[in-house]
Amino acid sequence: MVGQWADFQYEIYLNGMTGAVPRLPTDLTRLEELAEHRLGPGPVGYVAGNAGDGGTARANRDALERRRIVPRMLRDVRERDLSVEVLGRTLPAPLALAPVGVLSIMHPEAESGAARAAAARGVPYILSSASSTPMEEVAEAMGDAERWFQLYWGSDREVTASFLARAKASGYSVLVVTLDTPLLSWRPRDLDRAYLPFLHGVGTANYFTDPAFRAGLTKPVHEDPNAAVLHFLGLFGDAGHTWPDLGFLREHWDGPIVLKGVLHPDDARLAADAGMDGVVVSNHGGRQVAGSVAAADALPRIAEAVGDRLTVLFDSGIRTGDDVFKALALGARAVLLGRPYVYGLGLDGQAGVDHVIRCLLAELDLTLALSGHASVSTLGPDALG
């Protein structure tokens, strides 16, 4: 899609000739407030909540807003190309939908609705281990579209191996291993409501449908769901994993492996030394470590350290097209978008996710052109002031 993303704005204006206006805001930073008003406080709090007092999430935004774009003039930007090579595959834009679990708490279409929206625009969808829809159903909803699988690396090796085998059989092409969640952080917004979806069997679909998981139960899930939940909680995380353990994942996955949650250059180097294919510079959107370094502040050092050895991806704080521009200029090859598409899903199902994708990429396309760039490949530190 060369230079076509920006056309979404004209589509909106032309629709306005008949009195039609967008169902959701085109300023994606407004979606959270709208979700707060329209959706239940428990689900919205689970998505919007952060570790501690929320300082890390604020730092993520501040780090992106501190960087300012320096537009350049009189360059030919009539045709733009947002496509990018990521992990051996060509993407139409430098974007993937981040793994977010338990989406059924936001909308009945859940992960399948978000995945269909991503597939329709050629954007990779990353399915969370903690999804409320089994991975096979989400794969079926996507057809042949690009999909990746995110692993919460738990303590049961048999379940992990089974997950990877199922994901491979279902056409997930990249494994994204989240490293920053061996334990759940202190999240006051959820704690104040005593709200944890997993305790109600939500976000456990991949586990409850897994033969290795079910082999560890004394009764079938439907006969004793509470026992199944407790078994899930007992194996979900493992704070004992170390770098040599990555060999187990490589033994069971022959495609690209990306480590998510890397914030220190030395950890990025260790990932490269371990034969990994990429890292996601991320602090889990501010949800795991209160007082953590902002992801955008960590990004340049990691890109400099391993950009020639690994694919460097980025998430945590992306809300707008200019945020994507800045992340690419700071060294990311592509970004993962999280909360905005989840709010879009909650407010308008699959159509809401589609709206978010199109708004973000139209704004990126226009920002690119108006800053004097015809391709995302030309973005570097000199694009920022």
Side-chain angles (χ1 to χ4, degrees):
M1 187 175 289
V2 177
Q4 300 298 311
W5 294 107
D7 290 347
F8 185 40
Q9 70 167 331
Y10 297 112
E11 180 181 321
I12 292 172
Y13 287 134
L14 288 171
N15 286 339
M17 299 291 288
T18 65
V21 298
R23 289 167 57 89
L24 296 179
T26 55
D27 174 0
L28 301 182
T29 66
R30 294 177 52 206
L31 293 176
E32 181 174 338
E33 182 181 3
L34 195 60
E36 295 270 13
H37 283 99
R38 292 191 188 174
L39 305 177
V44 173
Y46 182 80
V47 174
N50 294 293
D53 69 353
T56 301
R58 292 192 296 273
N60 285 337
R61 292 298 306 140
D62 290 344
L64 287 165
E65 290 175 1
R66 258 197 337 270
R67 270 82 180 190
R68 309 309 295 176
I69 296 168
V70 182
R72 300 296 303 276
M73 300 296 117
L74 293 176
R75 294 178 168 185
D76 185 355
V77 293
R78 287 173 295 181
E79 293 187 1
R80 278 93 53 206
D81 185 2
L82 269 61
S83 67
V84 62
E85 292 287 326
V86 175
L87 299 166
R89 51 224 359 104
T90 300
L91 306 182
L95 176 70
L97 295 193
V100 180
V102 298
L103 289 185
S104 65
I105 66 174
M106 296 297 282
H107 193 279
E109 293 182 19
E111 290 82 11
S112 295
R116 284 193 297 266
R121 300 295 168 187
V123 172
Y125 179 71
I126 310 176
L127 180 73
S128 171
S129 285
S131 64
S132 45
T133 312
M135 64 180 85
E136 291 84 359
E137 287 186 28
V138 177
E140 186 177 355
M142 295 190 72
D144 295 330
E146 186 73 22
R147 51 187 174 268
W148 305 352
F149 182 72
Q150 177 268 344
L151 176 71
Y152 279 120
W153 193 5
S155 59
D156 189 317
R157 285 194 161 201
E158 294 302 316
V159 172
T160 297
S162 180
F163 269 30
L164 299 188
R166 290 170 62 195
K168 181 178 179 182
S170 300
Y172 294 86
S173 60
V174 174
L175 179 64
V176 179
V177 185
T178 295
L179 300 182
D180 58 18
T181 315
L183 306 164
L184 285 182
S185 69
W186 188 254
R187 298 177 184 173
R189 191 159 176 182
D190 295 334
L191 289 164
D192 290 349
R193 291 188 170 274
Y195 184 86
L196 188 63
F198 305 113
L199 294 181
H200 303 281
V202 180
T204 58
N206 286 317
Y207 297 85
F208 287 5
T209 57
D210 191 82
F213 177 89
R214 293 187 300 200
L217 302 174
T218 55
K219 295 181 179 179
V221 174
H222 69 276
E223 289 186 14
D224 194 346
N226 289 334
V229 167
L230 290 175
H231 187 53
F232 161 80
L233 293 174
L235 60 78
F236 176 75
D238 187 342
H241 285 138
T242 59
W243 291 98
D245 294 325
L246 289 170
F248 176 81
L249 299 182
R250 179 51 79 193
E251 288 173 18
H252 290 85
W253 187 266
D254 56 10
I257 301 178
V258 177
L259 302 184
K260 184 173 182 287
V262 174
L263 293 166
H264 195 289
D266 287 349
D267 284 347
R269 294 185 184 99
L270 287 168
D273 293 344
M276 300 295 101
D277 301 281
V279 293
V280 183
V281 179
S282 168
N283 56 32
H284 216 101
R287 293 170 63 78
Q288 278 302 99
V289 178
S292 168
V293 61
D297 286 337
L299 175 57
R301 292 176 63 206
I302 291 175
E304 182 179 359
V306 299
D308 58 339
R309 302 171 67 191
L310 296 175
T311 296
V312 177
L313 306 175
F314 176 84
D315 79 18
S316 299
I318 295 291
R319 298 291 181 271
T320 65
D322 59 280
D323 290 339
V324 180
F325 180 108
K326 293 172 184 179
L328 300 177
L330 292 171
R333 177 60 62 98
V335 305
L336 279 52
L337 182 72
R339 286 181 173 108
Y341 91 77
V342 178
Y343 297 136
L345 177 72
L347 292 164
D348 201 18
Q350 177 181 337
V353 180
D354 184 67
H355 174 84
V356 169
I357 293 170
R358 297 188 74 190
C359 285
L360 187 83
L361 293 180
E363 188 176 23
L364 171 61
D365 192 2
L366 290 165
T367 301
L368 196 73
L370 293 169
S371 301
H373 298 272
S375 168
V376 293
S377 65
T378 64
L379 297 181
D382 62 346
L384 305 177

